[in-house]
Each structure stands twice: as structure tokens, then as C-alpha cells.
């Protein structure tokens, strides 16, 4: 484990540690995560690129760093293993934050199955999505035309402090309304941008699809029981 304690950055005491989230021992009011997307992005390989680049002349304090991408710690794959390891990580962060704490999750994926996994992870970790924002993060170029998303969904997670129940038929209507509002908001931004002289859309169809998943996730995870079923137990 790499650890740098008692270092001050801009006057703020910092503590940087490289370790699995599932074995956290320190608390925080805010957690910001950019998790793996079911192998869509291999963070350990990206890390190794920077290792090869920086280790030749590392700046302080990285000259004391253990140069290792921590491949064995990577949460990889899909299905049960992916859900179980992700749930353990987010449950640990939830256990180490106060009741009024929050987690910011940056999530980018177009597969409905992966978003279903994310719903199970949130339920299983005792959390709920209280807000979902879709932010344009990519610049447009000829290389990025086609099926590429232009942004990232930012999910705000908070502890589930109340037990809310709903029936499936009622939930379907809420999900439809939530998704429709999200799509209307983003298409309105597209029209506003074009009215201001922008030639391309801010958000393409792939972005609308992903934002719709995020909006649905916010509605779904607002309930702990659906048709009498405990969703946290079902997720685990």
C-alpha cells in the first residue's frame, strides 16, 4: 500500500493511500469515484502507461512510490463477481461516511445490463441515487463521430435512511415520467445550443439513452421494496 500522510496541498492536510475500497478504515463525508465499467475501461492498463512514462524521472513525492498498477485489485468482468465486488466497495464507503454524507459516482456505459448491475450494486450497498446529472465531457472531432457518447452521468448517492415501498405498476409510470423529463431537458439544451450558432448537437442519441438509464436508476433506487420484495436482499 502506498501512503503519504501529513502532506499539505494548498494548505489542506492530505492522505493518499492505494488500497481496495472494501477494506477502508478511515471515514469521509464525501466520496468521489470513477468505477470500472464492466471491462469497458481497463484502468490497470492505463495506469501502466503512466508508470512507464513517469517512473524514469518521477517528481516528488512519487520518487518514493511503489510502481505497481495493482492488477490483482482491479474489479473486472460482469455478472455476479462484478456486482459482488462493487457492492462490497460501495458498502464499505457507505459504512465510513455520516448519515448526511454523499458519494459522487461518474458512470459511462451504454449497456442496459450494466446499468441493471449498477442498480443492484446501489441497492445492495444500502444507498440510493438522489440526483443524476448528465455532463458533456468530450470535445467533438472527426475521430469521435459515430457511436461515441459525448458525456458522463454523475450520480449522487446517499444512505438509505427510510424504507419506501411501491407497486410495480406505479413504479413503471414514475420511471417513464422521470426518463421523459430527462430527455426533454437534454433535447432542449440541444435546441438552445443550435439557436446560439452551434452546428452539432450537445448530446447525441447515445447520450440520451445513457441519461435515460441514469434517470431510471434515480427513481428505482428511491424504493427499498418493490411489490413487497426487499430489493437490497434481492441484490445480494
Amino acid at each position: 500500500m502506498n501512503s503519504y500522510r501529513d502532506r499539505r496541498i494548498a494548505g489542506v492536510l492530505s492522505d493518499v493511500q492505494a488500497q481496495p475500497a472494501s477494506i477502508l478504515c478511515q471515514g469521509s463525508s464525501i466520496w468521489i469515484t470513477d468505477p470500472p465499467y464492466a471491462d469497458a475501461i481497463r484502468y490497470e492498463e492505463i495506469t501502466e502507461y503512466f508508470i512507464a512514462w513517469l517512473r524514469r524521472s518521477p517528481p516528488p513525492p512519487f520518487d518514493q512510490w511503489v510502481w505497481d498498477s495493482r492488477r490483482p485489485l482491479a474489479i473486472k468482468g460482469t455478472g455476479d463477481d462484478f456486482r459482488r465486488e462493487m457492492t462490497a466497495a460501495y458498502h464499505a464507503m457507505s459504512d465510513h461516511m455520516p448519515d448526511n454524507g454523499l458519494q459522487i459516482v461518474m458512470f459511462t456505459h451504454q449497456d442496459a445490463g450494466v446499468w441493471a448491475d449498477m442498480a443492484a450494486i446501489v441497492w445492495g450497498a444500502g444507498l440510493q441515487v438522489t440526483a443524476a446529472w448528465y455532463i458533456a465531457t468530450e470535445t467533438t472531432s472527426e475521430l469521435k463521430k459515430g457511436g461515441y457518447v459525448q458525456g458522463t452521468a454523475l450520480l449522487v448517492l446517499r444512505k438509505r435512511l427510510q424504507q419506501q415501498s411501491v407497486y410495480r405498476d406505479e413504479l413503471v409510470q414514475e420511471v417513464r415520467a422521470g426518463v421523459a423529463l430527462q430527455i426533454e431537458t437534454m433535447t432542449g439544451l440541444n435546441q438552445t445550443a443550435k439557436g446560439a450558432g452551434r452546428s452539432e448537437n450537445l448530446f447525441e442519441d447515445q447520450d440520451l439513452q445513457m441519461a435515460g438509464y441514469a434517470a431510471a436508476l434515480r427513481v428505482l433506487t428511491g424504493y427499498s421494496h418493490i411489490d413487497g420484495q426487499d430489493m437490497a436482499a434481492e441484490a445480494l
Side-chain angles (χ1 to χ4, degrees):
M1 178 175 68
N2 299 322
S3 179
Y4 297 98
R5 288 189 173 87
D6 300 330
R7 295 185 180 276
R8 293 188 177 273
I9 301 176
V12 178
L13 183 66
S14 64
D15 183 4
V16 179
Q17 300 185 30
Q19 65 180 29
S22 57
I23 62 171
L24 281 172
C25 59
Q26 293 182 331
S28 178
S29 296
I30 301 176
W31 297 99
I32 302 175
T33 58
D34 189 1
Y37 311 134
D39 287 348
I41 298 179
R42 300 180 182 272
Y43 285 107
E44 70 279 11
E45 294 182 2
I46 296 173
T47 301
E48 287 165 2
Y49 168 79
F50 287 102
I51 286 175
W53 181 30
L54 287 173
R55 70 187 304 175
R56 298 173 60 184
S57 181
F62 301 108
D63 52 348
Q64 304 297 319
W65 198 275
V66 177
W67 295 99
D68 186 350
S69 65
R70 299 295 198 251
R71 270 181 178 261
L73 302 182
I75 298 177
K76 305 182 69 174
T78 58
D80 291 341
D81 290 341
F82 176 75
R83 286 192 297 269
R84 182 170 56 251
E85 293 185 38
M86 288 278 283
T87 299
Y90 281 99
H91 208 302
M93 286 184 281
S94 176
D95 287 342
H96 288 82
M97 75 180 190
D99 287 348
N100 63 347
L102 57 87
Q103 299 184 30
I104 307 297
V105 181
M106 293 172 276
F107 204 71
T108 306
H109 209 288
Q110 295 175 253
D111 189 333
V114 175
W115 280 94
D117 285 343
M118 194 63 191
I121 291 161
V122 173
W123 270 316
L127 299 165
Q128 67 180 103
V129 178
T130 58
W133 306 89
Y134 195 82
I135 307 297
T137 57
E138 301 295 326
T139 57
T140 56
S141 70
E142 291 299 321
L143 295 175
K144 294 182 178 180
K145 287 187 176 179
Y148 296 99
V149 296
Q150 301 296 320
T152 295
L154 301 184
L155 308 176
V156 179
L157 309 185
R158 294 185 181 271
K159 284 187 176 181
R160 183 184 303 286
L161 301 177
Q162 296 180 343
Q163 302 295 310
Q164 300 287 341
S165 300
V166 69
Y167 290 106
R168 190 182 299 269
D169 55 348
E170 298 172 334
L171 184 61
V172 168
Q173 297 304 317
E174 285 193 48
V175 169
R176 285 177 175 169
V179 171
L181 178 61
Q182 180 69 58
I183 300 304
E184 289 173 6
T185 299
M186 294 175 67
T187 52
L189 290 172
N190 276 346
Q191 294 171 358
T192 300
K194 286 194 172 181
R198 183 186 175 97
S199 58
E200 310 91 359
N201 285 327
L202 285 172
F203 305 108
E204 300 298 337
D205 290 346
Q206 296 81 9
D207 300 290
L208 300 179
Q209 177 187 12
M210 193 165 66
Y213 291 148
L217 193 64
R218 178 179 56 80
V219 176
L220 289 170
T221 59
Y223 295 99
S224 57
H225 292 75
I226 299 176
D227 281 348
Q229 291 185 324
D230 186 334
M231 298 310 297
E234 289 290 320
L236 294 173

